[in-house]
Amino acid sequence: NAGVTQTPKFQVLKTGQSMTLQCAQDMNHNSMYWYRQDPGMGLRLIYYSASEGTTDKGEVPNGYNVSRLNKREFSLRLESAAPSQTSVYFCASRESGNYGYTFGSGTRLTVV
Amino acid sequence: GNSVTQMEGPVTLSEEAFLTINCTYTATGYPSLFWYVQYPGEGLQLLLKATKADDKGSNKGFEATYRKETTSFHLEKGSVQVSDSAVYFCALSPNQGGKLIFGQGTELSVKP
């Protein structure tokens, strides 16, 4: 099915471990986004990529890095995980000029 | 700055009741406004949108009207069903094709 695919769906990390969340879209969208969702706080933008080869910080970038590997893929890396990064992470994409975002199904991350 | 405020949940209704979820926003210029829905265990899906003042977005029996004079975009449905149980997010895009800014989400539970 066309859309945004995120892996893994669930992950438990120990404090200080690193990991990369993967995101891929097959809709030929130019822009891609990483959000985190926390109870009572809605979705907050971590990083985004307006087009292939560019990335920019969002509202809460500290503790994260991203890579726009190609037009399809946009990965999010936690270099040294902290309990405050326990959250549900969503990747989304958008075609230029189209307002609607397409979201992946999310990665539920727990840092212990 | 730009922000979105939604009524707090959870909202619990009986089937066939009338639904209103309030959403107000702060933004410079002329933002586009959106409602997204998140069913349990899934990502967000675009429910409806409005791109200029007095526009009415509608989908699946839900409606919302862009009210610039009251900076509001309240979500309504005349008769809710159990299948409407989900979390609803109001969001704005400050400029055409720009990044989405989300409210904190409102959980709706519909009982048979």
Side-chain angles (χ1 to χ4, degrees), chain A residues 46-59:
Chain A
I46 305 171
Y47 271 94
Y48 67 101
S49 171
S51 61
E52 184 179 357
T54 69
T55 61
D56 287 287
K57 295 178 180 179
E59 183 185 359

Side-chain angles (χ1 to χ4, degrees), chain A residues 4 20 24-25 27-29 35-36 42 45 52 54 62 65-67 72 79 81 86 88 90 93-94 99 108 112:
Chain A
V4 178
T20 299
Q25 52 93 6
M27 298 167 288
N28 204 36
H29 286 175
Y35 285 87
R36 60 178 288 173
L45 183 64
E52 184 179 357
T54 69
N62 291 343
N65 284 299
V66 291
S67 295
R72 289 188 64 247
E79 291 290 352
T86 293
V88 182
F90 287 100
S93 69
R94 180 180 64 80
Y99 301 118
R108 184 174 295 277
V112 297

Side-chain angles (χ1 to χ4, degrees), chain A residues 54-99:
Chain A
T54 69
T55 61
D56 287 287
K57 295 178 180 179
E59 183 185 359
V60 288
N62 291 343
Y64 305 94
N65 284 299
V66 291
S67 295
R68 183 74 183 267
L69 303 170
N70 47 55
K71 193 170 187 179
R72 289 188 64 247
E73 299 173 287
F74 187 40
S75 62
L76 178 72
R77 182 161 179 84
L78 287 70
E79 291 290 352
S80 179
S84 61
Q85 294 179 304
T86 293
S87 186
V88 182
Y89 292 85
F90 287 100
C91 178
S93 69
R94 180 180 64 80
E95 184 178 1
S96 296
N98 183 322
Y99 301 118

Side-chain angles (χ1 to χ4, degrees), chain A residues 8-45:
Chain A
K9 292 189 182 300
F10 301 93
Q11 184 71 49
V12 179
L13 290 179
K14 294 182 179 179
T15 298
Q17 287 185 319
S18 63
M19 78 161 295
T20 299
L21 281 63
Q22 306 288 351
C23 175
Q25 52 93 6
D26 58 5
M27 298 167 288
N28 204 36
H29 286 175
N30 287 314
S31 302
M32 298 185 73
Y33 307 82
W34 276 106
Y35 285 87
R36 60 178 288 173
Q37 182 180 23
D38 302 292
M41 301 186 74
L43 277 77
R44 293 181 292 168
L45 183 64

Side-chain angles (χ1 to χ4, degrees), chain B residues 61-111:
Chain B
F62 291 90
E63 294 183 339
T65 301
Y66 187 153
R67 301 288 189 198
K68 192 165 179 61
E69 63 276 12
T70 55
T71 62
S72 65
F73 192 55
H74 305 322
L75 182 68
E76 296 182 336
K77 187 176 185 183
S79 177
V80 293
Q81 305 300 313
V82 172
S83 58
D84 293 326
S85 298
V87 181
Y88 293 82
F89 291 91
C90 186
L92 70 82
S93 178
N95 46 43
Q96 187 175 24
K99 301 181 294 296
L100 284 179
I101 298 166
F102 289 88
Q104 71 271 34
T106 301
E107 181 181 0
L108 170 66
S109 177
V110 181
K111 306 298 184 184

